[in-house]
Amino acid sequence: MTERPVSVGLFVTCLVDLFRPTVGFAAVRLLEEAGCKVAVPRAQTCCGQPAYNSGDRADATAIARDVIAAFRGFDYVVAPSGSCAGMVKLHYPALFAAEPTMKAAADELAGRTYELVAFLTEVMGMTRVVSDFNGAVTYHDSCSGLRELGIKEQPRKLLASMPSLTLKELPGAETCCGFGGTFAVKYGEVSSEIARRKAKDIVATGADTVLAGDLGCLLNMAGSLSREGAALKVRHVAEVLAGMARGPAIGEPSDDAEPGRR
Amino acid sequence: MQVTSQAFKANAHKALGDDNLKTALFKLQHHFTNNRTRAVEALPEFERLRDRARDIKNEVLGALDFYLERFEQKVAEQGGTVHWCRTPRQARETILSLCRSVEAKTCTKGKSMIAEEIALNPFLEENGVQPIETDLGEYIIQLADEPPSHIIGPAVHKTLPQVADLFLEHHKRYGKTERQTEPEALVGEAREILRQKYLDADVGITGANFLVAETGSTIIVTNEGNGDLTQMLPKMHIVVASIEKIVPTLEDLSTILRVLARSATGQEFSVYTTLSTGARQSADLDGPGAFHVVLLDNGRSEMIGTELQELLRCIRCGACMNSCPVYHAVGGHAYGWVYPGPIGAALDPKFIGLEAGQHLPNASPLCGKCESVCPMRIPLPKIFRYWRDKAFEEKITPLPQRAGIGVWAWFARRPELYRLASRLGIGVLGRLGRKAGKFRSLPLASGWTEGRDLPAPEGRTFHDLWQERRGRRGPPKSGDPFRKLFS
């Protein structure tokens, strides 16, 4: 066979870049396990949602233009986030509705952009992962992934392939955790209350780890669980699937100078 | 109703500290959403019905003048009169002059959000006509002198003990001196007191869930039957409705009714669905002697052909607020005007102005739950973004926010500078937060840290670590159909 491997441009996402590089390395490991050749374009920063959702169309459009340029040429673009992938897939084309050439480029990028777990299962046909995880986990369905991209069964399918993992379903798993990007800061009091309710539901499952596919939601849930004094661990689903869940969880003390190695 | 939307944050703060409200909203959240889910799951064609309902309203909005004129003609053929009102003031004055034409002292009222929108009750009272709310929820808030907090359950913010206290206080003068605590007893008491008022009223005012162009009928759906007594017993029946309530035919009506109650309360059908077609005819056993329809525009016709047109599909079922995490947390009054919840956040800025209403479309995590349950498939998050764009464009968005986004975007467009800045920032935060793993408070991030901790970053950026471990690997050069665009 001379077929070249599938090339993937990893859209790291700004939150993973800044807060939790481990998730990026976990995504790379999973993509490579699936047989992809992964590259990380240096010209990327963020998908532009902070501007887009604040009404700053001009900056959102300029950032979208940069992202479209940065990810030319890859077979696929994959992000460990339903929110950022949803932005590229659904909202970039809308940003360029009045610019036919850019709209075509945005549509083309949208067509090959995927959220990580959806990509692994739907495009690469992954049905199981090689790692295992010993523990009882619960799973929160992040809003954009769930409602914009239809991500629901895909992560559960891969988690089910880990023999020592038990999934305890979270009642209200489809209810927002209250993050909402800049909403979490601009309307902090309302956002915190929604997060507190989510934390309560999470604790009630009796799971020892909560997982989700979006770092924004994870930071929010981890922050609320920790403020409420709950001892649950919070991780991105990719960390568990990639077998990289041995380091400190989100919001845990760390002496780890080398994130994403373990 | 006085607009307090500009104080959304203060309203929300107050609501979050109200334990009675918390109890009431918890009940609403679980009762309505679970019932809706059950009702929807029991009807395999529900999703198809939503499409059909959306298409019916889209068709109407494409030819609204035609359907409205046809409706007027049919009402007239049956001895009724349609009054066209461009503004709330015109609508109020029309209703008052109709009341005066029969020398009305009291009028009974069915639940109507349009009556709230035009602030009808205080106006009638000031002018010597006493309005009496007959919907139990409306009756409760009339006693409490509060605006509704929900479009189908105006008193959902009240707990049972609060209602018991309110009835005891206001029903003493009818000889009811015992505090009732059971729902049935409370309903019985209200019913008994209202009975005489129905008989005494000179005018009955109802809203309309729908207007049927084909027949000139107005339709109300209720669970209490109060609407029927309100409109059948007095001399005159006045319907107050906004122009987008029109549907072409009875067939269309029945299609939309199939999604309405399921979305609203999770019932397959409301207990009463009442069609009113004209005044009492010679062969009729009962009915009002006169039938008037007050049609309100209040800016709706301007929405046709704009980004806001899709809001005119709304059938006021309340599913969006029943499923909204923000509404669950703060309740309806925090929104500060007639329409609360997601539909209010999308609609109110149109009525009260974007300056006063700017918080509403912003105070949303854009979770999309509202759109996912809306029977008319109204893209509510898209409309929130429309208002956010407009506020930013017109510099209504506060300067610190605009400037903050501007600075951030300036860096986000310069990857190498962005790397440098983020390396420094994250390095500091990482070192400061490593030991605890989180921040309990952080300057400039108090909006976040007042209610929850901020997990500390791992300390290095992904891009720096990747560069160290893997070096640079560019994209493949082949297979890029848009290469020319960027060269």
Side-chain angles (χ1 to χ4, degrees), chain B residues 18-37:
Chain B
D18 182 340
D19 287 338
N20 279 321
L21 181 63
K22 207 168 265 188
T23 309
L25 289 172
F26 184 82
K27 261 185 142 162
L28 161 114
Q29 177 186 348
H30 291 87
H31 178 75
F32 278 154
T33 42
N34 293 345
N35 286 356
R36 178 198 172 273
T37 307

Side-chain angles (χ1 to χ4, degrees), chain B residues 4 76 85 94 235 250 365 384 455 459 469:
Chain B
T4 66
C85 298
T94 304
K235 289 174 263 191
L250 289 172
F384 299 160
R469 293 176 193 176

Side-chain angles (χ1 to χ4, degrees), chain A residues 128-196:
Chain A
R128 53 187 310 282
V129 291
V130 291
S131 316
D132 196 6
F133 181 82
N134 197 351
V137 308
T138 191
Y139 189 88
H140 165 73
D141 295 288
S142 292
C143 299
S144 305
L146 176 72
R147 280 183 273 274
E148 290 190 335
L149 305 177
I151 296 165
K152 176 80 186 173
E153 293 312 318
Q154 301 89 325
R156 287 172 174 77
K157 195 165 115 185
L158 294 185
L159 289 171
S161 76
M162 305 181 92
S164 313
L165 179 146
T166 331
L167 178 67
K168 296 187 167 187
E169 283 292 352
L170 171 64
E174 298 188 357
T175 299
C176 179
C177 72
F179 174 65
T182 53
F183 168 77
V185 180
K186 281 194 283 188
Y187 298 91
E189 198 179 0
V190 180
S191 168
S192 295
E193 172 63 20
I194 300 173
R196 205 169 294 129

Side-chain angles (χ1 to χ4, degrees), chain A residues 17 21-22 32 42 44-45 53 57 72 147 184 186-187 189 191 220 223 226-227 253-254, chain B residues 9 13 359 367 385 388-389 412-413 416 419 434-435 440 449 452-453 458 460 462 469-470 480:
Chain A
D17 178 43
T22 296
E32 288 179 345
R42 272 190 71 77
Q44 61 175 307
T45 56
N53 292 335
R57 279 282 167 136
R72 289 150 55 210
R147 280 183 273 274
K186 281 194 283 188
Y187 298 91
E189 198 179 0
S191 168
N220 186 40
S226 130
R227 179 66 56 96
S254 159
Chain B
K9 282 188 185 182
H13 175 76
H359 278 302
C367 76
R385 286 195 184 95
R388 294 178 186 198
D389 289 355
R413 296 215 54 210
E416 293 310 322
R419 300 258 176 283
R434 185 169 297 158
K435 217 172 140 195
R440 293 192 67 86
T449 54
R452 74 215 117 176
D453 296 342
E458 291 186 300
R460 308 269 319 265
F462 176 84
R469 293 176 193 176
R470 299 279 191 110
D480 175 9

Side-chain angles (χ1 to χ4, degrees), chain A residues 8-256:
Chain A
V8 168
L10 181 69
F11 193 106
V12 180
T13 80
C14 59
L15 287 179
V16 166
D17 178 43
L18 300 175
F19 275 84
R20 198 138 174 101
T22 296
V23 175
F25 288 102
V28 171
R29 183 178 290 180
L30 287 165
L31 289 165
E32 288 179 345
E33 278 173 7
C36 304
K37 183 167 170 280
V38 182
V40 182
R42 272 190 71 77
Q44 61 175 307
T45 56
C46 169
C47 68
Q49 274 193 86
Y52 183 63
N53 292 335
S54 299
D56 181 359
R57 279 282 167 136
D59 279 324
T61 309
I63 293 171
R65 213 180 285 272
D66 294 345
V67 172
I68 293 170
F71 285 93
R72 289 150 55 210
F74 293 104
D75 295 334
Y76 296 99
V77 175
V78 175
S81 156
S83 174
C84 312
M87 175 71 185
V88 176
K89 276 186 101 65
L90 295 154
H91 300 284
Y92 277 16
L95 279 174
F96 296 107
E99 247 184 283
T101 330
M102 276 309 297
K103 166 84 164 62
D107 283 337
E108 192 267 347
L109 175 65
R112 59 190 166 87
T113 298
Y114 287 84
E115 183 278 336
L116 174 68
V117 182
F119 176 76
L120 293 171
T121 52
E122 289 164 15
V123 179
M124 301 309 291
M126 189 183 264
T127 53
R128 53 187 310 282
V129 291
V130 291
S131 316
D132 196 6
F133 181 82
N134 197 351
V137 308
T138 191
Y139 189 88
H140 165 73
D141 295 288
S142 292
C143 299
S144 305
L146 176 72
R147 280 183 273 274
E148 290 190 335
L149 305 177
I151 296 165
K152 176 80 186 173
E153 293 312 318
Q154 301 89 325
R156 287 172 174 77
K157 195 165 115 185
L158 294 185
L159 289 171
S161 76
M162 305 181 92
S164 313
L165 179 146
T166 331
L167 178 67
K168 296 187 167 187
E169 283 292 352
L170 171 64
E174 298 188 357
T175 299
C176 179
C177 72
F179 174 65
T182 53
F183 168 77
V185 180
K186 281 194 283 188
Y187 298 91
E189 198 179 0
V190 180
S191 168
S192 295
E193 172 63 20
I194 300 173
R196 205 169 294 129
R197 293 174 185 200
K198 176 60 75 176
K200 221 168 151 184
D201 288 345
I202 292 170
V203 170
T205 62
D208 46 50
T209 304
V210 56
L211 306 176
D214 261 279
L215 193 53
C217 317
L218 289 161
L219 292 170
N220 186 40
M221 293 188 291
S224 192
L225 284 162
S226 130
R227 179 66 56 96
E228 301 303 309
L232 271 99
K233 291 184 190 307
V234 181
R235 292 187 186 279
H236 193 286
V237 67
E239 299 173 34
V240 166
L241 293 174
M244 291 173 68
R246 282 182 294 277
I250 296 169
E252 281 191 333
S254 159
D255 52 5
D256 190 2

Side-chain angles (χ1 to χ4, degrees), chain B residues 36-108:
Chain B
R36 178 198 172 273
T37 307
R38 254 196 303 277
V40 167
E41 279 170 359
L43 188 69
E45 65 266 40
F46 189 76
E47 294 305 314
R48 263 187 298 132
L49 282 172
R50 283 174 77 184
D51 290 339
R52 183 71 199 116
R54 173 199 58 203
D55 295 346
I56 289 169
K57 277 284 189 162
N58 281 348
E59 187 191 317
V60 167
L61 295 172
L64 193 56
D65 51 348
F66 169 80
Y67 288 112
L68 283 168
E69 280 172 12
R70 182 153 176 93
F71 172 76
E72 180 186 32
Q73 186 196 331
K74 284 286 159 186
V75 170
E77 278 173 21
Q78 278 138 166
T81 312
V82 170
H83 306 263
W84 302 84
C85 298
R86 197 166 277 286
T87 63
R89 186 180 162 171
Q90 280 175 1
R92 284 193 299 265
E93 283 170 356
T94 304
I95 293 169
L96 179 64
S97 70
L98 287 170
C99 287
R100 283 187 172 154
S101 73
V102 291
E103 291 167 356
K105 287 184 191 60
T106 65
C107 67
T108 44

